Amino acid sequence: MMIAKFAARRFRIRYERVLIYLCVALLIVVVLFPMVWVLSSSFKGFREIYRYASNLIPKEPTLDNYRFLFFKLPNFPRQLLNSFIVTIGSVLLTVVMALTTGYGFARIDFRGRDALFYAVIVSMFIPRSGGLMAQYELMDFLGLRNSLIGLILAFGAGLP
């Protein structure tokens, strides 16, 4: 009798695990499908992209889109590099600020800690566009408008 209960429980655990894996696999397909579609569409011609019943695999693969991107748009490599620099810089700044702030709230006991913590949490509910004009004026005052450092500070330090 005890063995039957153990076998039933073990089957139920396997059944639940299979169900979880199926849900995760479905979620992965839903998330990755648009990326696969965009990559596939990059090898399609203009007419094939805008066809009503388009296929995932291009019928006539072409590199025209990539030729246009790299040879007809001369600023693209520089724009790609700028995007890379701003992304890496703002991610690093955000991580450093989040680490130090989290450590301060978790380990250091100071007066007003809870009020400051709640202020940070409440500021997360304010839309980014709420302080956009003030941020623009601050960047203009500091001379950081139209610069990569200004963008890194705006994206990295502009969020709670």
Side-chain angles (χ1 to χ4, degrees):
M1 187 66 142
M2 186 71 121
I3 296 174
K5 284 184 180 180
F6 179 73
R9 183 171 177 242
R10 190 170 176 193
F11 176 75
R12 188 176 69 237
I13 290 172
R14 284 186 183 167
Y15 178 73
E16 289 172 355
R17 185 170 285 174
V18 167
L19 191 63
I20 289 171
Y21 286 154
L22 285 175
C23 289
V24 168
L26 179 67
L27 185 64
I28 287 172
V29 168
V30 167
V31 169
L32 289 181
F33 183 73
M35 291 182 235
V36 171
W37 186 270
V38 166
L39 183 66
S40 169
S41 295
S42 71
F43 293 103
K44 295 177 183 178
F46 182 77
R47 291 184 189 270
E48 193 172 355
I49 287 175
Y50 291 107
R51 186 175 301 147
Y52 178 71
S54 185
N55 296 327
L56 182 63
I57 299 172
K59 291 184 180 176
E60 298 174 16
T62 179
L63 293 174
D64 289 343
N65 295 325
Y66 290 102
R67 278 190 215 108
F68 176 78
L69 185 65
F70 287 106
F71 298 117
K72 302 273 181 164
L73 298 175
N75 293 334
F76 178 73
R78 182 64 191 175
Q79 293 167 348
L80 191 64
L81 179 66
N82 288 347
S83 296
F84 183 74
I85 291 169
V86 169
T87 300
I88 296 298
S90 60
V91 165
L92 288 175
L93 183 62
T94 301
V95 167
V96 168
M97 290 183 62
L99 283 172
T100 55
T101 305
Y103 182 81
F105 282 134
R107 300 287 185 185
I108 302 172
D109 193 20
F110 57 92
R111 209 170 101 212
R113 179 180 73 165
D114 291 341
L116 186 59
F117 178 73
Y118 291 132
V120 169
I121 296 298
V122 167
S123 69
M124 289 181 184
F125 291 103
I126 299 172
R128 188 167 184 83
S129 60
L132 202 57
M133 193 63 200
Q135 196 173 29
Y136 175 81
E137 289 179 4
L138 178 65
M139 291 297 167
D140 189 36
F141 177 75
L142 295 174
L144 295 174
R145 211 179 57 185
N146 293 331
S147 70
L148 294 179
I149 298 294
L151 278 174
I152 290 170
L153 288 175
F155 288 123
L159 297 173

